C-alpha cells in the first residue's frame, strides 16, 4: 500500500512589531500616474480612421445643426459622445458618421447634474447645441436656453473640460420682443459666468436641407398667399449656411486663440425679407402672392397653431423672430476669422427648395431664376 501523503506544514516565523514596521517603510511608494486615454493621443494621417485627439460631447446632436457637427467631427477622426433623450432609434442616423465605436450614445437628463457629469467626464471639448423652436409644458425657453446651458457649463468647468462652445443667436437681446431671444441673451451671460473661457457663437438664421427657415417660408403658401407684416419691407435678413456654421464650430475647436471669444456667423448677403421670400418662391416655382397682415392678426393666427398637440407650424414668438431685423456686429470675429468663406444662399437654396416644386419643374435649372436683391451690409 502506498504510503499516506503527509500534509506539509509551513510555520510562520515570529516577527516583532518593529520588524514589520521596518519592512513596510522599506517598500518604495510611487504616486499613481494618471494614464492618458488613447483616444486623446493624435495619430494617423487624418480622416475618419485616424485619431484627431478630440473627444467631444455634443449636447443637442440630434437636432438640425447637431448632425452636421457630429459628421464633421467624425470625419476628422474624433470620438463623439452623443447624449440623447429620445428613442434610441431616433439617433441611429448618427452612428455611421464616425469610425467603429467612435460615436458613443448616452442617455441624459438636463435637470440632473450627475447625468451631465457622466456625459462630459472623459471629454476635452463640450459643445452645447440644445435648442427648441417652441415651448412645452415640460421645457420652456428659460429651461432650454438658460438653466440647462448653465448646468452644462458649470459641470464642464468642474470636470476640467478644455473647450466649451455654446451656440446662441445673432439677435439675442435682453430687450427683444421675442421671449426666445431674451432667454438666449440671458443664457450667454450665465454661460460666460460659469465658464469664463467659453466660446460663444452667434449665428443668424440657419438654412439647410432640414431647416425651419427656407422650408418655413416655402410652406407658408398653404395660407392662400404669403402673409407678411408690412410686406416684409421693414425687415432685413442675413441667413448663413448650416455647413459653414458646422465648419466654424470645428475650426473654433482647433483654434487656440478662440478661448473666451464671441463669434458672429452670418451669410455673405443681406436681403429684405420681401425679396428673400420672393426668391424662395421663384426657386420653388410657386406663385408668389404676398399680402400685408397686421401684427395682432398674425399673432392671433399663430395662437391658433399653438393649440395643436403636435409640432406647431408657427407660434407667436416665431412671428416675432421672423420679423426682427438681423443685427450687424462688425466688432465681433466671424467665419472669415476661422478660415471659412461664407456660402451664398443662391448656391444652396435649390438643395432645400427642390422638394417644394411640382413635377413639371422638378429638374429645372437654378440659373433660370433671377437672384434676390441684396442690401449693403
Amino acid at each position: 500500500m502506498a504510503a499516506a501523503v503527509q500534509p506539509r506544514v509551513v510555520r510562520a516565523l515570529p516577527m516583532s512589531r518593529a520588524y514589520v514596521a521596518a519592512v513596510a517603510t522599506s517598500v518604495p511608494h510611487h504616486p499613481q500616474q494618471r494614464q492618458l486615454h488613447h483616444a486623446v493621443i493624435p495619430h494617423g494621417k487624418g480622416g475618419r480612421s485616424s485619431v484627431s485627439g478630440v473627444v467631444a460631447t455634443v449636447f443637442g446632436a440630434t437636432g438640425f445643426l447637431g448632425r452636421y457637427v457630429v459628421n464633421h467631427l467624425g470625419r476628422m477622426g474624433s470620438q463623439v459622445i452623443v447624449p440623447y433623450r429620445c428613442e434610441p432609434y431616433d439617433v441611429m442616423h448618427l452612428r455611421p458618421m464616425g469610425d467603429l465605436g467612435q460615436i458613443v450614445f448616452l442617455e441624459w437628463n438636463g435637470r440632473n447634474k450627475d447625468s451631465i457629469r457622466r456625459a462630459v467626464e472623459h471629454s476635452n471639448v463640450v459643445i452645447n447645441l440644445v435648442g427648441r423652436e417652441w415651448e412645452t409644458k415640460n421645457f420652456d425657453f428659460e429651461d432650454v436656453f438658460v438653466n440647462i446651458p448653465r448646468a452644462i457649463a458649470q459641470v464642464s468647468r468642474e470636470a476640467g473640460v478644455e473647450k466649451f462652445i455654446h451656440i446662441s443667436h445673432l439677435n439675442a437681446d435682453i430687450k427683444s420682443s421675442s421671449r426666445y431671444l431674451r432667454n438666449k441673451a440671458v443664457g450667454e451671460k450665465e454661460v460666460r459666468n460659469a465658464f469664463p473661457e467659453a466660446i460663444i457663437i452667434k449665428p443668424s438664421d440657419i438654412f439647410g436641407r432640414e431647416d425651419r427657415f427656407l422650408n418655413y417660408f416655402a410652406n407658408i403658401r398653404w395660407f392662400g398667399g404669403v402673409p407678411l407684416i408690412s410686406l416684409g419691407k421693414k425687415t432685413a435678413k442675413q441667413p448663413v449656411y448650416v455647413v459653414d456654421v458646422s465648419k466654424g464650430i470645428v475650426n473654433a475647436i482647433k483654434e487656440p486663440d478662440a478661448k473666451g471669444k464671441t463669434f458672429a456667423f452670418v451669410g455673405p448677403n443681406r436681403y429684405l425679407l420681401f425679396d428673400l421670400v420672393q426668391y424662395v418662391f421663384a426657386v420653388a416655382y410657386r406663385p408668389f402672392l404676398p399680402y400685408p397682415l397686421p401684427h395682432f392678426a398674425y399673432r392671433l393666427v399663430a395662437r391658433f397653431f399653438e393649440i395643436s398637440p403636435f409640432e406647431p407650424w408657427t407660434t407667436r414668438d416665431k412671428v416675432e423672430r421672423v420679423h426682427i431685423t438681423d443685427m450687424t456686429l462688425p466688432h465681433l470675429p466671424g467665419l472669415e476669422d476661422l478660415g471659412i468663406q461664407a456660402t451664398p444662399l443662391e448656391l444652396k437654396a435649390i438643395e432645400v427648395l427642390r422638394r417644394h416644386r411640382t413635377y413639371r419643374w422638378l429638374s429645372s435649372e437654378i440659373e433660370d431664376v433671377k437672384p434676390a436683391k441684396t442690401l449693403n451690409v
Side-chain angles (χ1 to χ4, degrees), residues 209-229:
R209 288 181 183 269
E210 310 89 358
D211 70 14
R212 289 191 176 96
F213 184 67
L214 297 185
N215 283 310
Y216 171 81
F217 291 120
N219 285 323
I220 210 171
R221 66 182 184 272
W222 298 109
F223 270 104
V226 183
L228 294 170
I229 297 175

Side-chain angles (χ1 to χ4, degrees), residues 207-208 211 213-214 237-242 244 267-272 275-280 282-284 342-354 357 364-375:
F207 68 90
D211 70 14
F213 184 67
L214 297 185
K237 291 292 182 182
Q238 197 168 350
V240 62
Y241 187 39
V242 62
D244 294 340
N269 298 325
R270 193 174 179 88
Y271 313 90
L272 280 178
D275 296 326
L276 178 61
V277 179
Q278 185 179 34
Y279 178 74
V280 167
V283 174
T343 305
L345 172 74
E346 291 79 3
L347 291 181
K348 297 297 181 179
I350 187 63
E351 294 181 1
V352 185
L353 300 171
R354 188 184 297 277
R357 292 179 171 184
S364 296
E365 297 295 333
I366 193 172
E367 288 78 8
D368 300 335
V369 179
K370 183 180 179 181
K373 297 178 183 178
T374 59
L375 301 174

Side-chain angles (χ1 to χ4, degrees), residues 18-126:
Y19 178 78
V20 173
V23 172
T25 54
S26 65
V27 177
H29 291 278
H30 299 288
Q32 186 175 2
Q33 298 280 337
R34 183 183 178 186
Q35 293 183 352
L36 192 63
H37 196 277
H38 67 85
V40 299
I41 304 176
H43 63 268
K45 298 181 179 180
R48 176 189 178 93
S49 296
S50 62
V51 176
S52 69
V54 174
V55 181
T57 299
V58 183
F59 291 95
T62 56
F64 166 48
L65 176 59
R67 68 189 67 185
Y68 290 88
V69 174
V70 172
N71 187 30
H72 278 102
L73 289 171
R75 278 164 47 184
M76 61 185 275
S78 304
Q79 188 174 72
V80 185
I81 292 87
V82 179
Y84 69 94
R85 299 189 308 111
C86 53
E87 288 291 326
Y89 287 107
D90 292 337
V91 297
M92 287 301 102
H93 64 282
L94 300 175
R95 187 178 293 278
M97 292 183 179
D99 206 5
L100 185 63
Q102 291 296 85
I103 309 295
V104 182
F105 299 97
L106 184 70
E107 289 190 68
W108 79 298
N109 181 354
R111 294 193 173 103
N112 187 335
K113 284 194 174 183
D114 290 333
S115 173
I116 298 172
R117 188 173 291 106
R118 190 164 58 251
V120 305
E121 61 184 350
H122 300 296
S123 301
N124 52 21
V125 175
V126 173

Side-chain angles (χ1 to χ4, degrees), residues 152-174:
I152 295 174
Q154 290 173 348
V155 173
S156 298
R157 184 71 173 176
E158 295 168 2
V161 171
E162 297 176 16
K163 283 195 174 182
F164 181 83
I165 299 178
H166 174 70
I167 307 301
S168 183
H169 195 281
L170 181 70
N171 296 328
D173 185 2
I174 196 66

Side-chain angles (χ1 to χ4, degrees), residues 139-197:
F139 292 94
D140 59 15
F141 285 148
E142 185 177 0
D143 291 326
V144 175
F145 299 132
V146 180
N147 298 334
I148 292 177
R150 178 176 55 215
I152 295 174
Q154 290 173 348
V155 173
S156 298
R157 184 71 173 176
E158 295 168 2
V161 171
E162 297 176 16
K163 283 195 174 182
F164 181 83
I165 299 178
H166 174 70
I167 307 301
S168 183
H169 195 281
L170 181 70
N171 296 328
D173 185 2
I174 196 66
K175 297 180 180 179
S176 175
S177 59
S178 164
R179 178 174 166 80
Y180 175 103
L181 296 174
R182 290 198 302 271
N183 281 281
K184 279 281 192 180
V186 176
E188 285 184 23
K189 294 182 179 179
E190 293 293 335
V191 166
R192 185 66 76 194
N193 291 336
F195 202 118
E197 294 184 345

